[in-house]
Amino acid sequence: MVVLFIIIGIVIGAGAGVWVTTTILRNKLLSKSQQVLKDAEEKGEVIKKDKILQAKEQYLQMKSEHDKRVNEQNNKMRDAENKLKQRENTLNQKVEELQKKSNELKGVSDNLNNQIEALKKRQAEVEKVYKESVTKLEHIAGMSAEEAKQQLVDAMTEEARAEASTTIMDIVEEAKITAGEQAKKIVIQSIQRTATETAVENTVSVFNLENEEVKGRIIGREGRNIRTLESLTGVEIIIDDSPDAIIISGFDPVRREIARLSLHKLVTDGRIHPARIEEVVAKTRRQIEQEINEVGKRTCIDLGILNMNHELMRMVGRMKYRSSYGQNLLQHSREVANLAATMASELGLNPKLAKRAGLLHDIGKVPETDPELPHAIFGMKLAEKYKEHPDICNAIGSHHDEMEMTNLISPIIQVADAISGARPGARREVVEAYINRLKKLEDMAMTYPGVVKTYAIQAGRELRVIVGAEKVTDIEANKLSYDLSRQIQNEMTYPGQIKVTVIRETRAINYAK
């Protein structure tokens, strides 16, 4: 119990001690904070007085600078006023001087007017004397002045006409003597400067083989590979006893080239079967089309012909695979272009225009469809369609006298075309007639409904007609073969006989998914 009282006493004593200590500390802090506030107020008063003094000094300085600027501006204004007054005085003096000069000029003008009046009176007197003199002369000569003048003019006109007629006759005679010589000289120089090789156009291509084993693979089982290739390309593939060689025969150079390139790809790849042949032939056709575009572009660049329509350029490329009477059409057109440019230069005409017309003059021979118009007129319409120069269009349309020539470029193109085609070795009529006969065979078969493709092979002794299986039945195919053979027999002239083969193929295609 005693211990408890002791503990309670200790606790009470500790609490009283804490209270006393806290009270003492609070009083000390209050006294210190009051002293700090007092010191802060004294420092604030000092700073306030300093700031007021600084503001007063800055105000006085700014006022002094403002007064100084105002004084400078006033001085400038006074100087400007003085200068204006001086200029005004100078202008007043100049006005007075001008007034004096004006008065002097007025006096001079009056004198001039008096002199002009005197001159007019003198002129009237001279005209009066002149008229009296003319009247006396007319009375003496017995004719008027106008009649005399007309007689003089007539006499001089007759004399001039006589001299002009004599001069013209001399010029005409001299022109007749020199014109023929000059024309021959221009033509000979043009031919010499545009010498080309003799054109030779073949109807067969030879495909060389590495060994005899490849022949069997090309022929395929029961000849199916050969038949597929012939039906797709429209050429005749001749495999005979020639060692290590296959002959590709056909009148169309494009078909022969497609067949040759396709054979090369098939032999190189080693996979030769009908499906692969179809794929390769399709790719080769696209390759040939690309090559045609490149040839057209390269030809225009070589000849320096710019800004030609892309479609016309493609037709120029197609000329590489066309011939005219055995003469390669692209070579012939380039030759005509160079000849025409040379002649135009010699005659002082535009050689670029002539070269462009020469290159395009036979463009009507290479359409993808067979037009009914003559090739010159059709070529002119193509040139007009693609915005060629009117002189070029007229030169194309008139180079075979199928329309009137309207400019000097047209006869040059006609002459250059004749020179290129008439030189020895340029053309072979027999080849052209043969090609025309084969083309007519194919075109005749294409007129029948349901026909998809036609190929004249074996030098025109066989005509293969491929029809669509969905459009033509077997019975209709037999009738088509008969009707076509009768039409060929009645409308065409040909040696021997022509075999007409109509091919109708049915394919069943499905896909496993």
Side-chain angles (χ1 to χ4, degrees), residues 295-314:
V295 169
K297 187 184 298 184
R298 188 166 58 251
T299 300
C300 291
I301 293 172
D302 291 344
L303 293 175
I305 296 174
L306 306 176
N307 301 324
M308 181 176 287
N309 183 275
H310 177 74
E311 186 62 27
L312 279 181
M313 204 178 295
R314 192 175 72 86

Side-chain angles (χ1 to χ4, degrees), residues 352-385:
K352 292 184 178 179
L353 205 65
K355 184 178 287 186
R356 197 181 186 100
L359 179 63
L360 297 176
H361 81 285
D362 271 346
I363 202 73
K365 289 185 176 181
V366 290
E368 294 183 354
T369 58
D370 191 16
E372 296 180 358
L373 296 172
H375 77 273
I377 302 298
F378 185 71
M380 179 191 70
K381 291 186 178 297
L382 285 174
E384 290 174 347
K385 177 182 177 182

